[in-house]
Amino acid sequence: MDDSSRAFLTGILTVAALLILPAYFALASEAPKQVVKEESNSAESKERSLKPTAAETDKKTPNTSNNNNRMPEEQATQGRRATEAQGPSMDMNQQLIGGDSFVQRTKNPEFLKTRNEIVEKIKARRAEEFSKKVPVDIKVTMPDGNVLEKCKDGTPFQAWKTSPYDVAVAISQGLADSSVVARVTYEKYVDDYDPVQDGSAGADIMELEEGQEEEEESSSDKSMLWDMTRPLVGPVEKLEFLKFANDPEAKTVFWHSSSHIMGEALERLFGNKLTVGPPLANGFFYDSYMGKDNLREDDYKAVEQEVGKIAKQKQKFERVVITKDEALELFADNPFKVQILTTKVPDGSRTTIYRCGDLIDLCRGPHISHTGKVKAFAATQISATNWLGDTDNDSLQRIYGISFPDKKQLKVWKENMEKVRYCSFECFQVTFHGARTKTYESHSRKHMTETNPSR
């Protein structure tokens, strides 16, 4: 290898190494893709990828051109939900489904009110079912082996009544307030709990997964993430409280909830038709349909301000179990949600939605207890994409965000982003200028040697 080739290769390797710098600042390095898992009542090949099969997409490249960019491209990365579902793709007979579901930007559109009215009726039906549940005393074992049985006020822990938050309060209010989500390992379920009726059976129909091999569930690991405010449904073999500062799954839940908050802002401000909004390794995004319109740079401030208002309202995240028919009625105005439901949810089965404020979305959860947990938020990037990652499908608008439970953490994050930008630019300039200089010198020496062998 001559000097010029070696210099050029050195430059390439140096810049490639710099692109990994974001990982040093806890930022991910894989580009986002989209796949959704099906919710089902059995394990018999009912998981289907929401994304087209490889054969269908070989000739198609998603539209990922940026409209505006406030964030390095390497920061738009996919997170924990990173395994591709198995099986055939969704029914793609109808390529363009958005139509006139979005015509123009509309603040506080009428469908928000209609949707909430439907949810209230559904909640009344579930409340009637819930009233028939029989609370029974339960014990909760902590990771250190300590067994707890009573709330702070001395009342016994009971299935259908006691939540992880109640258990945390029995230990300390600080623990309860700082915990994002619980990880629960049940000893068993109470007799009148049925995961199918609770909408918890099968795979997550809204889970976006990319890039990594699908993780097989270990029979020895029966733990599951559980909303802090969701009642427990049996004696607990081990209860763990996860915090944002030191647990990746807590971050995933926090950013997933933040995505819902950002989705609520988009619906309130513009009337967007939301599609999917997963958490990433460092942040989150939401894809939405805006017809011929698109998100613009001057929308950043409006979205950030609206998210701030929502956070201050401390809206509770409510989990509601719904039937497929109820879901189809609820999302009748959103053709993308309808396609997910008709394709991924078996007839006669149940799934779940979460509501915070005006936002109601298909979701497995879990979530933070209320929107006030999000103390700092920034919209970071806008780009164009397509429904199911197929350029024959509707064009969607994707907006990325980042959030934290502390304003200081957002400040540090922004400072790190500036360092990444500065280092990447400076090192790129220096490296390639140096490579070009060495190449010139190498060719000059070769030329002089050929024309004057004595040199």
Side-chain angles (χ1 to χ4, degrees):
M1 182 182 295
D2 59 25
D3 290 346
S4 62
S5 298
R6 186 178 294 107
F8 182 76
L9 180 59
T10 300
I12 290 292
L13 292 175
T14 303
V15 172
L18 287 169
L19 294 179
I20 306 175
L21 272 176
Y24 178 77
F25 302 114
L27 300 170
S29 58
E30 295 178 53
K33 300 182 287 184
Q34 297 185 12
V35 178
V36 175
K37 281 188 174 181
E38 173 191 9
E39 172 162 311
S40 62
N41 295 334
S42 72
E44 298 178 1
S45 64
K46 289 187 178 179
E47 278 192 342
R48 298 177 183 175
S49 170
L50 192 76
K51 180 182 174 184
T53 60
E56 293 171 325
T57 56
D58 278 347
K59 63 180 185 298
K60 300 171 184 175
T61 303
N63 177 11
T64 57
S65 59
N66 289 348
N67 296 329
N68 299 290
N69 195 332
R70 291 172 57 194
M71 182 181 188
E73 187 64 29
E74 63 268 21
Q75 303 312 316
T77 57
Q78 194 66 0
R80 185 174 73 94
R81 296 184 171 185
T83 57
E84 189 166 325
Q86 303 296 315
S89 64
M90 285 180 66
D91 180 8
M92 298 296 292
N93 291 332
Q94 187 179 1
Q95 300 287 351
L96 299 177
I97 63 175
D100 60 359
S101 61
F102 181 99
V103 178
Q104 62 183 8
R105 295 184 177 213
T106 304
K107 194 167 185 178
N108 296 318
E110 186 64 24
F111 73 78
L112 297 180
K113 179 181 177 182
T114 302
R115 202 169 55 186
N116 270 295
E117 290 173 349
I118 296 172
V119 167
E120 287 303 318
K121 294 177 182 178
I122 295 172
K123 285 181 63 180
R125 298 180 198 128
R126 297 298 94 81
E128 184 178 355
E129 294 175 5
F130 189 83
S131 66
K132 298 176 183 178
K133 302 299 182 182
V134 180
V136 295
D137 292 356
I138 59 173
K139 295 181 180 180
V140 175
T141 304
M142 303 306 295
D144 62 1
N146 188 28
V147 179
L148 304 178
E149 301 181 52
K150 294 182 180 181
C151 295
K152 190 174 183 179
D153 62 5
T155 58
F157 292 160
Q158 290 189 316
W160 301 113
K161 286 189 175 182
T162 303
S163 68
Y165 183 85
D166 296 325
V167 178
V169 168
I171 300 172
S172 78
Q173 187 64 51
L175 175 63
D177 293 339
S178 62
S179 298
V180 172
V181 69
R183 185 188 291 127
V184 181
T185 304
Y186 282 104
E187 179 184 320
K188 63 178 181 178
Y189 295 136
V190 289
D191 293 339
D192 53 354
Y193 176 73
D194 181 357
V196 174
Q197 290 299 306
D198 191 43
S200 300
D204 183 351
I205 65 169
M206 296 301 294
E207 189 172 32
L208 293 194
E209 311 220 330
E210 359 240 289
Q212 302 174 0
E213 293 297 322
E214 186 168 5
E215 296 180 5
E216 296 183 2
E217 292 186 5
S218 170
S219 58
S220 61
D221 183 10
K222 299 177 182 179
S223 65
M224 62 186 77
L225 296 181
W226 202 265
D227 298 284
M228 286 292 290
T229 55
R230 181 181 172 188
L232 297 167
V233 291
V236 177
E237 185 177 298
K238 184 167 72 171
L239 177 61
E240 303 167 84
F241 296 110
L242 311 185
K243 299 182 180 181
F244 183 92
N246 54 20
D247 191 280
E249 290 192 300
K251 288 184 173 69
T252 295
V253 170
F254 189 91
W255 284 325
H256 185 190
S257 300
S258 299
S259 174
H260 277 233
I261 297 171
M262 186 170 68
E264 182 181 356
L266 293 174
E267 287 190 333
R268 279 184 172 188
L269 292 170
F270 315 123
N272 293 30
K273 296 301 179 181
L274 302 179
T275 61
V276 290
L280 308 177
N282 288 275
F284 46 92
F285 70 80
Y286 222 120
D287 288 347
S288 61
Y289 177 69
M290 297 185 73
K292 296 180 181 180
D293 200 351
N294 60 274
L295 292 170
R296 302 183 288 268
E297 187 173 358
D298 57 4
D299 292 326
Y300 280 120
K301 186 176 181 180
V303 171
E304 290 174 345
Q305 289 178 340
E306 192 67 21
V307 168
K309 292 177 183 177
I310 294 169
K312 288 181 180 179
Q313 292 170 0
K314 295 185 178 181
Q315 301 170 356
K316 293 182 179 180
F317 275 86
E318 299 177 83
R319 179 181 184 272
V320 183
V321 179
I322 60 173
T323 66
K324 179 176 180 177
D325 290 340
E326 289 170 339
L328 288 171
E329 178 189 10
L330 187 61
F331 295 104
D333 68 298
N334 188 324
F336 303 95
K337 302 293 186 184
V338 169
Q339 188 177 65
I340 293 171
L341 288 163
T342 54
T343 306
K344 312 300 287 185
V345 180
D347 293 340
S349 67
R350 294 186 172 194
T351 185
T352 55
I353 58 171
Y354 274 79
R355 176 168 72 172
C356 63
D358 291 324
L359 180 79
I360 298 164
D361 205 2
L362 284 170
C363 188
R364 170 64 65 87
H367 283 285
I368 57 179
S369 55
H370 61 78
T371 60
K373 297 288 185 181
V374 177
K375 303 295 185 183
F377 165 84
T380 57
Q381 179 179 325
I382 292 172
S383 66
T385 186
N386 293 89
W387 177 233
L388 309 183
D390 188 334
T391 53
D392 286 342
N393 293 343
D394 294 281
S395 178
L396 305 176
Q397 295 297 300
R398 175 174 294 182
I399 180 169
Y400 291 88
I402 188 72
S403 65
F404 296 95
D406 189 309
K407 291 182 180 179
K408 293 180 181 179
Q409 291 171 302
L410 178 61
K411 182 180 178 181
V412 170
W413 182 88
K414 288 182 176 180
E415 291 172 351
N416 287 340
M417 291 303 96
E418 286 303 315
K419 291 176 183 177
V420 170
R421 290 190 185 95
Y422 178 79
C423 290
S424 297
F425 177 78
E426 288 296 314
C427 293
F428 180 88
Q429 292 282 73
V430 171
T431 300
F432 276 91
H433 176 71
R436 291 176 62 189
T437 301
K438 289 183 179 180
T439 300
Y440 170 77
E441 291 175 347
S442 176
H443 281 292
S444 296
R445 286 196 301 272
K446 182 178 180 182
H447 173 73
M448 286 188 290
T449 302
E450 290 174 349
T451 56
N452 187 357
S454 63
R455 294 181 67 89

